[in-house]
Structure formats: structure tokens, C-alpha cells
Amino acid sequence: MASVGVGYDLGASTYSPAGRVFQVEYAGKAVDNSGTVIGIRCQDGVVLGVEKLIRNKMLVTNSYRRIFTTSMSSGLAIGGLLPDGRQLVNRARDEASSYKSNFGISIPGKVLSQRIALYVHAYTEYWHLRPFGVSSLLGVYDDSDLGAQLYMIEPSGECLRYFGIAVGKGSQQARVQLEKLNFDTITAKEGAIKIAEIIYQLHDEVKDKPFELELSWICDASNKKHQFVPKELLDEAIAAGKKAAEDDDSEDEDDDDDANMNDNQ
């Protein structure tokens, strides 16, 4: 990419002859280097999960988060550069507070997602700014006809609504797993456990750094308020995730044994 983008990657306002904006693509690479972030829109709410990588053994793990509350009924999960993500969280909180002050009602998820996306997109239009190195998952449960909603805002400013989506280093494999789910019947509790299973299965203990699982939800069980899942459910999800990872490793070992037997024959 470096040879192709020479001269065209010096600013986000410059297109290459092929119509590409390299600065935005580089921002996407920053997202791909972060831990996996997964969101599921369930029948009774939205669940967000993050593989929060522990980059230093001396780090106090609960001193930083990658899932934030942006309003009573919405939460934002960050994939990519955490400082950039915090800026988006502050912007989302300001938008939610301003809307509540001006109109007297909570900001609808569709409006909040579009306003965040417009803010992100503005940073791709000026040479003296750089794009946000963040893909964020916005979970909302409001009183509109849409009910529970899940949005993804990309570094380009594109914003789409999903039943299930994943970003980060394990996003491709995670999306394959998400496509197998029935989003019309899965509950928020089942979704939280499923996210844990996917993250633990994709995490490579040899190549990857240690991680801490973060789970939050906005659902009927939380009275349509964004909050981290109860400790009992988090422990259950972690146990299910570890078991899924062990089962996956056992299947891989069995496949290797079968392959070796075939080679010997």
C-alpha cells in the first residue's frame, strides 16, 4: 500500500487516482490491531462485549474501560485507539445531553448515531485533521418503533444498523459465528454468553496478550438502561467462554491426530 499511496496519503482530504482515501484506510488498520469488539441486537435488548487486551502486567485492569455509557439508554463500545474513542464518547454524551435539554426527551438512537457519524466524517474532509482511529458500536434501547438498536460508526463516518457486528483483530471470524445466530429469538443473557464464547475461542493465548472480558447490556432486564452485566452473569459467561475455548482446542488436537494417522497409512 505504501508504494501505491505515495503522495496521496499525506492528508485525509486527498483522493488517490483510484478514488481511495488512504488516511481513512490507515485508521481502519488501527481498529484491526485492537481487541475484538462484538455487538448483538437481541429480542429484548442489545449486548456489547469487548476483548480488552492487558498490554502491561503492572496495569490496574479496572483503571480503563472500552465500554462507556453515553446516556441512560445508550452505550458505546470502542474498537481502535482508546483516546480517540474517549473523544467520541464525550461528543455522544454532549449530543445526548443537549437533545434532552432542548426537547425534553431522550435522544433517539437513530439521531444519536447520525450525529456521531457526522462528527467522525468531518475529520476526513480537512487536510489539517486526521481521521479517528476508531470503529465504535452504539447500542440503544429507546421508546421509538425501532426499539433495541445496534449501530456501527466507522472511521470514514459511515453509520449502519446491524443485528450483529464485530470489529477488531478477530472481526472476520466473529462475523462468521454471528451469522449463525437467530436474532429474533436470542435473549440478552444468551447473547452475553455467546459473545464470551466467541471472544474466548478467537483469543490465542500464545500469540495474543492477556485480556479481560467486558460485557454490558441495554435490555428489559436492566429496565432499558445501559449498564454492565451483573457479576453473576459475567462469571457465567467467562466460564462458558473458557469451556468453549477448551472444546475448540480439543477438536483441533483430534483433527491433527487424524491427519497424522492418515499420513502414516
Side-chain angles (χ1 to χ4, degrees), residues 75-136:
L76 202 67
I78 301 300
L81 302 179
L82 188 56
D84 287 14
R86 286 182 176 140
Q87 180 71 9
L88 291 187
V89 170
N90 289 335
R91 180 69 181 194
R93 287 172 175 170
D94 288 343
E95 292 288 355
S97 176
S98 175
Y99 194 96
K100 178 75 171 180
S101 177
N102 291 332
F103 301 104
I105 59 174
S106 298
I107 187 170
K110 184 177 181 180
V111 175
L112 180 58
S113 64
Q114 289 176 346
R115 291 189 178 185
I116 298 174
L118 287 172
Y119 182 69
V120 172
H121 179 251
Y123 277 70
T124 70
E125 295 184 308
Y126 302 96
W127 66 269
H128 58 281
L129 300 175
R130 69 162 176 80
F132 286 95
V134 170
S135 284
S136 53

Side-chain angles (χ1 to χ4, degrees), residues 209-256:
K209 294 182 180 295
F211 79 99
E212 184 178 273
L213 179 67
E214 281 190 2
L215 287 173
S216 73
W217 62 5
I218 322 161
C219 60
D220 294 335
S222 66
N223 198 24
K224 297 185 179 180
K225 295 179 181 179
H226 179 259
Q227 56 188 224
F228 287 97
V229 300
K231 186 179 185 304
E232 296 78 12
L233 178 55
L234 178 62
D235 292 340
E236 181 181 351
I238 291 175
K242 290 180 177 179
K243 184 177 185 303
E246 292 173 358
D247 293 343
D248 193 47
D249 291 340
S250 298
E251 291 179 2
D252 291 340
E253 291 177 359
D254 292 340
D255 292 340
D256 292 339

Side-chain angles (χ1 to χ4, degrees), residues 21-171:
V21 182
F22 286 103
Q23 285 288 328
V24 174
E25 294 185 20
Y26 297 160
K29 293 296 183 182
V31 177
D32 293 339
N33 292 332
S34 72
T36 306
V37 183
I38 302 176
I40 298 178
R41 197 232 61 181
C42 311
Q43 67 169 0
D44 57 342
V46 178
V47 184
L48 302 173
V50 175
E51 176 194 17
K52 186 175 69 176
L53 299 177
I54 309 301
R55 303 188 180 278
N56 191 313
K57 293 181 179 180
M58 295 179 289
L59 178 68
V60 179
T61 56
N62 61 0
S63 64
Y64 82 104
R65 297 284 188 184
R66 280 192 170 268
I67 299 180
F68 301 87
T69 297
T70 52
S71 71
M72 290 291 288
S73 59
S74 64
L76 202 67
I78 301 300
L81 302 179
L82 188 56
D84 287 14
R86 286 182 176 140
Q87 180 71 9
L88 291 187
V89 170
N90 289 335
R91 180 69 181 194
R93 287 172 175 170
D94 288 343
E95 292 288 355
S97 176
S98 175
Y99 194 96
K100 178 75 171 180
S101 177
N102 291 332
F103 301 104
I105 59 174
S106 298
I107 187 170
K110 184 177 181 180
V111 175
L112 180 58
S113 64
Q114 289 176 346
R115 291 189 178 185
I116 298 174
L118 287 172
Y119 182 69
V120 172
H121 179 251
Y123 277 70
T124 70
E125 295 184 308
Y126 302 96
W127 66 269
H128 58 281
L129 300 175
R130 69 162 176 80
F132 286 95
V134 170
S135 284
S136 53
L137 303 188
L138 176 67
V140 183
Y141 198 167
D142 57 31
D143 295 328
S144 68
D145 295 336
L146 297 176
Q149 304 148 58
L150 174 65
Y151 299 89
M152 180 175 71
I153 300 102
E154 300 187 55
S156 63
E158 183 178 30
C159 176
L160 298 173
R161 187 157 62 99
Y162 292 88
F163 290 105
I165 192 63
V167 299
K169 61 181 178 60
S171 60

